[in-house]
């Protein structure tokens, strides 16, 4: 009941005219930037993060909620109209969505994506309200060894589970941990990796890292590989859905939400697995199997709902424990830190009003997203026709202005360019970006909790083993790391033996016969 009262107070704060205007502006610019080709939600949030500088925290997070959901929806537009997903979780939406658009049903594809995003986002945010306080109560009982173990699990998850190559994932994580070490050691007071530059004594601002790796790195990469002429955009009118479209979409929306939210809330979650599971489920349950591969509306409704529900689920560990499970959550965590706010179990006590304003803003932003995107879809489609040189020159300009606004130091522009070139090189050699961002954000916190655990135990490594939670987490880490070996030396031989024995035990045959 207290949570409901807090949420109502959050709505009361958001309903002020200025705050509603900020939410509307956030949704508009979030969608406008998210619609641009090659720009995913994480890059959208990173690029627009400096826009909220200079605002009060409450107003900044109200605007940020609109940017968050606007960027999430914008990726579906490019997937459907251009077959160019802004991130891996939008790949499944492009499979059927682009075929629907080519078949003259772009309006229906955009409509089911918009409404599915609204349904999944609303249900996911409601589950966030109900579940997060219980996670907070659990997190309060954790000690330094437990937090250290959870952060190790987050490192292993983003490198081993979500990436296509473990080696590349660990290289990216190592780069992030190295960047996170820059600055003054909180225990000894010694400077680390500052190269004698006084401005680096406070470390490299997370916002500069996020904008450099995501925005500048992606802009350089896309500008180097894509055509100079405008993209050929499929014409689209105002999105609408017929009775049959509604009938075929509402169940996939709910099933996609059921898949997406739990995966988003897991430390090893993400939106890739639930979107593929949703697509496979709808393909199995559909009454129109002949349309799959040619533009089935269920193949857009389910995965898009799973994607947005997963986005809401990522806020549970991010707010309650301070663990980001995807790139977008990592950038949002950077936004909290830029205001000196540390997500975790004490956040709901120290900054309760801010948290409930943010959650209420998610509801408002989700509703504004639906009301705006249904009539404005043709306008968003025209943004896709901007010539690429102008588009990415503008992105580099605004990224530079945003990075300079953080500390008003020219050095930040040099660091931004260096990190942008690093982001370009990472994409060139197939290194995932998420482990680097997670390493930058969680690295110093993991070091703090680990050193605190060792100090409490007098330097004994047994101090890293706190209790049942840490034992369980370490067991999960061992399982994740050993799984490839288990699959190679246990699962494969068992499968091979089953295949060899199968002809001998099949009905109607006897050993020695052919």
């Amino acid at each position: 009941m207290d949570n409901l009262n807090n949420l109502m107070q959050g709505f009361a704060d958001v309903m002020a005219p200025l705050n509603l205007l900020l939410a509307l502006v956030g949704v508009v610019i979030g969608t406008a930037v998210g619609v641009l080709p090659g720009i995913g939600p994480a890059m959208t949030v990173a690029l627009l993060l400096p826009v909220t500088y200079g605002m009060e925290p409450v107003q900044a997070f109200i605007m940020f909620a609109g940017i968050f959901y606007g960027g999430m929806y914008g990726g579906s537009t490019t997937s459907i109209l251009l077959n160019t997903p802004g991130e891996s979780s939008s790949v499944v939406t492009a499979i059927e969505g682009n075929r629907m658009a080519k078949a003259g049903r772009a309006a229906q594809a955009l409509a089911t994506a918009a409404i599915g995003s609204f349904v999944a986002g609303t249900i996911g945010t409601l589950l966030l309200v109900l579940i997060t306080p219980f996670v907070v109560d659990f997190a309060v009982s954790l000690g330094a060894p437990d937090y250290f173990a959870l952060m190790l699990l987050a490192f292993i998850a983003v490198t081993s589970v979500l990436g296509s190559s473990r080696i590349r994932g660990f290289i990216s994580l190592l780069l992030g941990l190295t960047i996170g070490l820059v600055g003054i050691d909180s225990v000894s007071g010694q400077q680390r990796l500052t190269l004698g530059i006084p401005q680096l004594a406070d470390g490299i601002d997370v916002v500069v890292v996020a904008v450099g790796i995501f925005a500048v790195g992606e802009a350089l990469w896309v500008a180097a590989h894509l055509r100079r002429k405008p993209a050929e955009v499929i014409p689209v009118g105002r999105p609408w859905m017929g009775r049959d479209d509604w009938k075929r979409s509402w169940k996939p929306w709910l099933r996609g939400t059921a898949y997406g939210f739990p995966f988003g809330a897991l430390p090893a979650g993400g939106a890739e697995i639930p979107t593929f599971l949703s697509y496979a489920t709808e393909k199995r349950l559909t009454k129109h199997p002949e349309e799959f591969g040619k533009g089935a509306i269920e193949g857009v409704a389910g995965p898009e709902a799973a994607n947005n529900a997963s986005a809401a689920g990522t806020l549970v560990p991010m707010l309650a424990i301070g663990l980001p499970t995807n790139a977008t959550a990592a950038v949002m965590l950077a936004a909290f830190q830029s205001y000196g706010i540390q997500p975790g179990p004490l956040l709901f006590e120290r900054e309760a009003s801010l948290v409930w304003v943010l959650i209420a803003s998610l509801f408002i932003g989700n509703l504004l997203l639906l009301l705006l995107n249904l009539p404005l879809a043709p306008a968003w489609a025209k943004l896709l026709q901007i010539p690429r040189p102008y588009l990415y020159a503008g992105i580099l300009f605004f990224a530079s202005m945003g990075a300079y606004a953080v500390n008003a130091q020219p050095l930040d522009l040099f660091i931004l360019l260096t990190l942008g070139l690093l982001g370009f090189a990472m994409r060139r050699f197939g290194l995932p970006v998420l482990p680097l961002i997670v390493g930058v954000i969680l690295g110093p916190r993991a070091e703090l909790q680990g050193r605190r655990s060792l100090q409490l135990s007098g330097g004994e490594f047994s101090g890293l083993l706190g209790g049942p939670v840490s034992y369980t987490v370490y067991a999960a880490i061992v399982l994740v790391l050993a799984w490839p070996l288990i699959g190679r030396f246990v699962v494969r031989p068992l499968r091979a033996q089953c295949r060899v024995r199968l002809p001998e035990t099949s009905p109607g045959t006897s050993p020695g016969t052919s």
Side-chain angles (χ1 to χ4, degrees):
M1 197 64 181
D2 291 338
N3 294 335
L4 184 59
N5 293 333
N6 292 330
L7 182 61
M8 291 299 103
Q9 182 60 46
F11 275 114
D13 294 335
V14 177
M15 287 300 177
L18 177 59
N19 292 341
L20 283 177
L21 178 61
L22 290 173
L24 179 63
V25 171
V27 169
V28 171
I29 63 175
T31 306
V33 175
V35 160
L36 299 177
I39 299 179
M43 182 177 170
T44 301
V45 176
L47 186 62
L48 297 177
L49 182 58
V51 174
T52 60
Y53 272 41
M55 298 182 181
E56 295 295 326
V58 171
Q59 296 178 342
F61 282 101
I62 288 173
M63 187 174 182
F64 210 73
I67 292 173
F68 175 64
Y69 272 132
M72 286 298 302
Y73 174 76
S76 65
T77 303
T78 55
S79 299
I80 291 170
L81 298 182
L82 282 183
N83 199 23
T84 307
E87 61 173 358
S88 56
S89 59
S90 299
V91 171
V92 183
T93 301
I95 295 175
E96 300 295 333
N98 188 249
R99 288 183 173 89
M100 285 184 66
K102 290 180 177 178
R105 287 172 51 80
Q108 289 81 357
L110 290 172
T112 193
I115 299 174
S117 299
F118 170 76
V119 171
T122 302
I123 296 176
T125 308
L126 182 61
L127 291 174
L128 172 68
V129 173
L130 299 176
I131 292 176
T132 303
F134 295 101
V135 180
V136 169
D137 293 338
F138 165 74
V140 169
S141 65
L142 301 179
D146 300 320
Y147 274 109
F148 179 73
L150 284 171
M151 291 177 189
L152 283 185
L153 177 60
F155 292 150
I156 299 300
V158 298
T159 54
S160 301
V161 178
L162 301 182
S164 58
S165 169
R166 292 184 174 219
I167 295 178
R168 291 188 176 96
F170 279 109
I171 292 174
S172 177
L173 176 64
L174 180 61
L175 290 172
L177 293 175
T178 303
I179 296 173
L181 286 175
V182 176
I184 296 178
D185 183 353
S186 59
V187 176
S188 66
Q190 298 294 318
Q191 293 190 10
R192 301 183 299 190
L193 303 179
T194 60
L195 304 177
I197 301 174
Q199 292 90 335
L200 292 180
D202 291 332
I204 300 176
D205 196 282
V206 179
V207 176
V208 177
V209 176
V211 174
I213 295 295
F214 281 107
V216 178
E218 184 72 15
L220 294 176
W221 174 255
V222 175
H225 289 82
L226 291 186
R227 303 184 303 271
R228 289 181 173 272
K229 65 179 182 179
E232 297 179 2
V233 183
I234 298 172
V236 57
R238 181 173 178 175
W240 62 276
M241 294 174 62
R243 180 177 298 179
D244 186 60
D245 295 326
W246 281 93
K247 184 178 179 181
R248 294 174 56 180
S249 294
W250 71 272
K251 289 182 180 179
W253 291 336
L254 298 179
R255 285 191 288 260
T257 303
Y259 276 128
F261 187 84
F263 273 93
L266 292 174
E272 292 81 2
I273 296 176
T275 52
F276 277 101
L277 287 177
S278 175
Y279 182 78
T281 300
E282 300 311 324
K283 190 174 182 179
R284 180 180 295 270
L285 297 179
T286 183
K287 296 180 181 178
H288 306 275
E290 72 283 354
E291 292 188 16
F292 269 79
K294 300 178 181 178
I297 195 169
E298 297 93 337
V300 179
E304 194 60 26
N307 188 16
N308 281 267
S310 176
T314 61
L315 297 180
V316 174
M318 196 271 284
L319 292 175
I321 308 178
L323 291 178
T325 60
N326 66 4
T328 309
V331 179
M332 291 191 70
L333 185 59
F336 275 89
Q337 292 180 340
S338 67
Y339 283 95
I341 300 170
Q342 186 60 60
L346 298 180
L347 178 65
F348 281 76
E349 294 182 7
R350 296 174 178 173
E351 303 287 347
S353 60
L354 176 63
V355 174
W356 290 108
V357 163
L358 173 63
I359 295 175
S361 301
L362 292 174
F363 283 104
I364 299 297
N366 203 27
L367 178 61
L368 292 174
L369 185 70
L370 179 68
L371 297 178
L372 279 175
N373 283 311
L374 287 179
L376 292 181
W380 302 138
K382 290 182 179 179
L383 287 177
L384 298 173
Q385 298 175 346
I386 298 176
R388 300 300 170 87
Y390 300 127
L391 172 62
Y392 289 100
I395 289 176
L396 290 174
F397 173 77
F398 286 109
S400 301
M401 292 293 292
Y404 184 78
V406 174
N407 297 311
Q409 294 179 352
L411 178 65
D412 285 338
L413 295 177
F414 176 77
I415 295 175
L416 181 74
L417 177 60
T418 303
L419 292 172
L421 293 174
L422 176 62
F424 177 86
M426 291 177 67
R427 289 163 175 82
R428 168 63 181 83
F429 294 104
L431 299 180
V433 175
L434 175 58
L436 183 145
I437 297 296
V438 172
V440 171
I441 295 175
L442 291 187
R445 298 177 58 194
E447 180 191 16
L448 175 64
Q449 298 294 349
R451 294 174 76 167
R452 183 176 295 170
S453 301
L454 293 174
Q455 287 173 343
L456 292 175
S457 63
E460 297 291 334
F461 280 99
S462 59
L464 299 177
L465 301 175
V469 174
S470 61
Y471 283 111
T472 304
V473 173
Y474 284 129
I477 291 174
V478 172
L479 180 62
V480 170
L481 292 176
W483 184 251
L485 297 177
I486 295 173
R488 181 174 182 179
F489 295 107
V490 179
V491 178
R492 285 185 187 176
L494 289 176
R495 288 180 178 176
Q497 291 178 11
C498 292
R499 290 170 184 167
V500 171
R501 293 175 182 175
L502 185 59
E504 298 179 0
T505 57
S506 57
T509 61
S510 59
T513 61
S514 58

